Amino acid sequence: TRWPAVEPDDQPYSRVWNVAGWPLQWYLLGVFDYARELGPLAIRPWYEVRDQFGKSDDAAVVTGHGKLADLLVPAVRASFQANARGIALLRSLRIYNALRAYAEKNGHEANGLADLSLPAAATIDPFSGKPLKLKRAPDGWMVYTVMENGVDDGGDFKGLKDYGGAPRHWRMMN
């Protein structure tokens, strides 16, 4: 919907608005067009949509909806990443609880994800689309995602190269 032209008698700045109003309107409405494109992406996993936002170190991503929409890309990317981290953490906790339940029920530790009776969807890393990483530390299990770099950094939680759950001692060291 476009705003009607303002008649000169209605407002003192009507000529300025008639000349500059439509670019300003396009500038503002582009954000809504961009938001409409984001809706279907919000329900898809991060590993499927991350390329739409460029890499985190990209200087600028052009959306095609104006500068204001382009400026929103880093914030939208950060919100999608935060959502993926939350999903990864919840899945890690679910796996950890299943590991503890398995050990209590069987009297020994599980060998891996295959021993647990969890649905496959509950074990998927939202950053890679592959199963979450599982590692047995001397004082407990580590369950984590490979995060944005897609590489298993052995549970480097301090540098946020990996993210998930681990024994407190492990998190403090790495």
Side-chain angles (χ1 to χ4, degrees), residues 19-36:
V19 171
W22 71 268
L24 179 63
Q25 182 181 359
W26 178 82
Y27 184 76
L28 296 174
L29 292 179
V31 172
F32 293 111
D33 292 336
Y34 181 54
R36 193 172 333 141

Side-chain angles (χ1 to χ4, degrees), residues 15-110:
R15 288 194 174 104
V16 172
W17 181 253
N18 285 335
V19 171
W22 71 268
L24 179 63
Q25 182 181 359
W26 178 82
Y27 184 76
L28 296 174
L29 292 179
V31 172
F32 293 111
D33 292 336
Y34 181 54
R36 193 172 333 141
E37 286 181 8
L38 292 175
L41 299 181
I43 61 171
R44 294 178 49 206
W46 173 244
Y47 66 90
E48 289 181 5
V49 300
R50 70 174 158 228
D51 293 336
Q52 307 249 348
F53 301 100
K55 296 189 181 203
S56 57
D57 56 353
D58 282 351
V61 174
V62 178
T63 62
H65 296 292
K67 295 278 186 206
L68 192 57
D70 296 348
L71 290 171
L72 288 176
V73 172
V76 171
R77 178 182 177 74
S79 69
F80 272 78
Q81 286 176 325
N83 181 55
R85 279 193 312 272
I87 290 169
L89 187 58
L90 289 173
R91 289 178 182 171
S92 296
L93 291 172
R94 185 172 181 185
I95 292 169
Y96 179 78
N97 287 335
L99 287 166
R100 298 298 349 123
Y102 181 91
E104 288 175 14
K105 181 180 176 185
N106 298 306
H108 62 87
E109 296 290 340

